[in-house]
Amino acid sequence: MKYKVLIADDEEEIRDLLYLYLEKEGYEVVQAKDGEEVLQILQSQKDISLLLLDIMMPKMDGFHVLKELRQSSNLPVIILSAKTDQNDKILGLDLGADDYIAKPFNPMEAVARVNSNIRRFYSLGSKDSIPMQSVLHVKDLTLDLNSYILKRGEEVIELSSTEYRLMELFMKNPGKIFTKKQIYEYGWQEEYITSDNNIMVCISKLRAKLSDDNNSYIRTVRGLGYRFEKE
């Protein structure tokens, strides 16, 4: 399968540079120069596999694009931005981004990040990784492992790819306590080296989407990690 990557950046030089590297890697590449064009392409081309998204763009910035996108899609998104402030990074991840690359960047690193996110997201659908149980039920939640859809009753709860992986981990193992290291390495598919805000932000986002004000779904176990509550 040939994956299609959408590059969204208002700087033509950056788009062209990434285009050359990604095309050489075997990807089909589409380009957009502003936020409105990004949403138009995503609406018309349903086979986009991943979005490389700049923050500072005309007409609509990347944060607004991401917020709009996450209302209906869990498409993998890598933010590509000169805004390196920690709060901007946290905001991007909180809105549902899967990764964050600061400008200036090495194009080979960008390609490696694309490869990693494509692999971790779409390998969930490979024959080797499809679990025998295709639908998980915990409390009033249902997680379809084939369509990657989480429902509470008939309500669909939109998830980013990282949020999906955490819900898969929790709902496969209700009642089990997971450490931050286990959660990070399963959700982000990277080695856990040091504690940061990514896990806390992602758990908070999940609790908000589940309306989990009383931690009746995801319980913090002080000094140990997190547990998804059983029936």
Side-chain angles (χ1 to χ4, degrees), residues 11 24 56 69 95 100 169 177 194 216-217:
E11 297 183 56
K24 184 177 180 181
M56 301 300 291
L69 174 64
L95 288 173
Y100 195 108
L169 177 67
I177 298 174
T194 183
S216 59
Y217 291 103

Side-chain angles (χ1 to χ4, degrees), residues 139-157:
K139 292 192 172 184
D140 57 347
L141 298 176
T142 301
L143 184 66
D144 191 315
L145 301 178
N146 292 328
S147 63
Y148 315 129
I149 292 176
L150 176 68
K151 287 185 177 181
R152 181 171 48 215
E154 294 301 315
E155 175 194 3
V156 175
I157 301 174

Side-chain angles (χ1 to χ4, degrees), residues 45-75:
Q45 301 187 38
K46 301 298 185 181
D47 58 342
I48 299 295
S49 305
L50 179 142
L51 171 60
L52 272 168
L53 180 65
D54 184 33
I55 295 302
M56 301 300 291
M57 292 189 296
K59 297 187 179 179
M60 181 184 292
D61 68 30
F63 289 139
H64 284 89
V65 170
L66 184 56
K67 187 175 181 179
E68 185 77 18
L69 174 64
R70 283 296 176 246
Q71 294 180 18
S72 60
S73 173
N74 63 345
L75 178 77

Side-chain angles (χ1 to χ4, degrees), residues 7-62:
I7 303 169
D9 198 298
D10 61 337
E11 297 183 56
E12 185 177 0
E13 296 82 359
I14 290 179
R15 295 199 310 271
D16 289 344
L17 178 64
L18 288 170
Y19 179 92
L20 290 174
Y21 276 84
L22 288 169
E23 187 180 49
K24 184 177 180 181
E25 190 72 10
Y27 291 104
E28 184 177 351
V29 182
V30 184
Q31 300 184 35
K33 62 183 179 299
D34 60 64
E36 290 184 359
E37 188 177 8
V38 174
L39 294 180
Q40 290 170 2
I41 291 174
L42 291 174
Q43 181 65 31
S44 61
Q45 301 187 38
K46 301 298 185 181
D47 58 342
I48 299 295
S49 305
L50 179 142
L51 171 60
L52 272 168
L53 180 65
D54 184 33
I55 295 302
M56 301 300 291
M57 292 189 296
K59 297 187 179 179
M60 181 184 292
D61 68 30

Side-chain angles (χ1 to χ4, degrees), residues 165 179-193 199:
R165 284 189 292 274
T179 66
K180 289 184 178 180
K181 181 177 186 296
Q182 290 171 319
I183 291 171
Y184 186 87
E185 292 184 350
Y186 193 91
W188 280 263
Q189 302 284 290
E190 297 175 355
E191 183 181 1
Y192 182 78
I193 298 175
I199 297 174

Side-chain angles (χ1 to χ4, degrees), residues 111-154:
V111 171
R113 296 288 187 94
V114 169
N115 288 340
S116 175
N117 279 273
I118 288 283
R119 182 171 59 251
R120 75 173 69 155
F121 186 78
Y122 293 101
S123 66
L124 292 173
S126 68
K127 291 183 179 180
D128 292 337
S129 62
I130 294 177
M132 294 181 65
Q133 185 179 6
S134 61
V135 180
L136 303 176
H137 301 277
V138 180
K139 292 192 172 184
D140 57 347
L141 298 176
T142 301
L143 184 66
D144 191 315
L145 301 178
N146 292 328
S147 63
Y148 315 129
I149 292 176
L150 176 68
K151 287 185 177 181
R152 181 171 48 215
E154 294 301 315

